[in-house]
Amino acid sequence: MTIVKFRAYVKSEKVLGRVVGIDFQNHRVSVEIEGQEIRDYEMENVVITQFTGLYDDNGVEIYEGDIVEIQEMNITPYRSVVHYDFMGAWVESHPLRRQLGFSVIQNLSDYCDYGRGMPMEVGGKVGKCSVVGNFFESKINN
C-alpha cells in the first residue's frame, strides 16, 4: 500500500518542504521547511508534489519532480525527471531505447523498489536508480 505524502516547493523562497496540512477551503498549504517552523502559504505560491511510493537504491523517498540517475545494465547512465500521474511513476526512457523505436517512457518501478531493498537480481529490476536532485532546485529550471 502506498503511503500518501506530499512535498511543496515554495516559489518565493525557492526551497522544498514537507506538506503538513492542506486547507482547500481557504486555499492554504502548511509547509515544514527543515530547520524552520511550520508556515502557511497561499496555494498559488507553492507547487505540491506527491510521494511515488518508491525508494531509490539508497533508501531515499522518490517524489514527482525528483531527478533520478538510472543505470540500465551496461548502458551509459542517464538522468530523467520523475512524473507521477494516473499511470503511476514514470521517467523518459534511455535515449538509446528511444532511438531504437522502443517506448519513450518507462515505469520507474522497473528501476526502483517499494522499500523492500531487493537487489536487482532478486527483485526483477532492470537497473539501478538514485535521486540526484529535483526539478525545482536544478539548473534545468533556472
Side-chain angles (χ1 to χ4, degrees):
M1 180 169 87
T2 300
I3 299 169
V4 179
K5 295 183 192 182
F6 297 96
R7 189 171 68 180
Y9 176 72
V10 181
K11 297 174 188 177
S12 60
E13 299 176 30
K14 297 184 178 182
V15 66
L16 283 169
R18 184 175 67 92
V19 173
V20 295
I22 301 175
D23 181 348
F24 290 102
Q25 189 170 8
N26 295 308
H27 305 281
R28 300 197 59 81
V29 179
S30 299
V31 179
E32 180 181 42
I33 297 170
E34 192 173 323
Q36 299 180 18
E37 293 182 13
I38 296 170
R39 295 173 53 187
D40 286 345
Y41 298 92
E42 294 288 330
M43 225 176 248
E44 60 269 5
N45 295 328
V46 299
V47 178
I48 297 173
T49 63
Q50 187 171 349
F51 174 51
T52 64
L54 295 167
Y55 297 82
D56 75 358
D57 294 339
N58 301 310
V60 175
E61 294 178 343
I62 302 174
Y63 285 79
E64 61 183 316
D66 280 345
I67 298 172
V68 291
E69 182 170 278
I70 295 171
Q71 171 70 53
E72 188 173 346
M73 295 176 261
N74 293 328
I75 301 173
T76 305
Y78 75 103
R79 293 180 177 189
S80 183
V81 175
V82 175
H83 301 273
Y84 191 62
D85 57 23
F86 67 94
M87 296 187 313
W90 57 273
V91 292
E92 289 185 2
S93 295
H94 192 284
L96 181 59
R97 283 180 179 267
R98 293 193 306 263
Q99 286 177 344
L100 293 173
F102 295 114
S103 176
V104 295
I105 64 171
Q106 193 76 24
N107 289 326
L108 189 58
S109 60
D110 290 348
Y111 306 108
C112 307
D113 70 19
Y114 293 95
R116 294 188 283 270
M118 299 177 77
M120 194 165 71
E121 304 79 38
V122 175
K125 298 187 306 178
V126 296
K128 296 180 180 181
C129 165
S130 30
V131 174
V132 294
N134 65 75
F135 174 80
F136 305 103
E137 296 176 331
S138 75
K139 292 181 176 144
I140 293 173
N141 197 36
N142 293 330

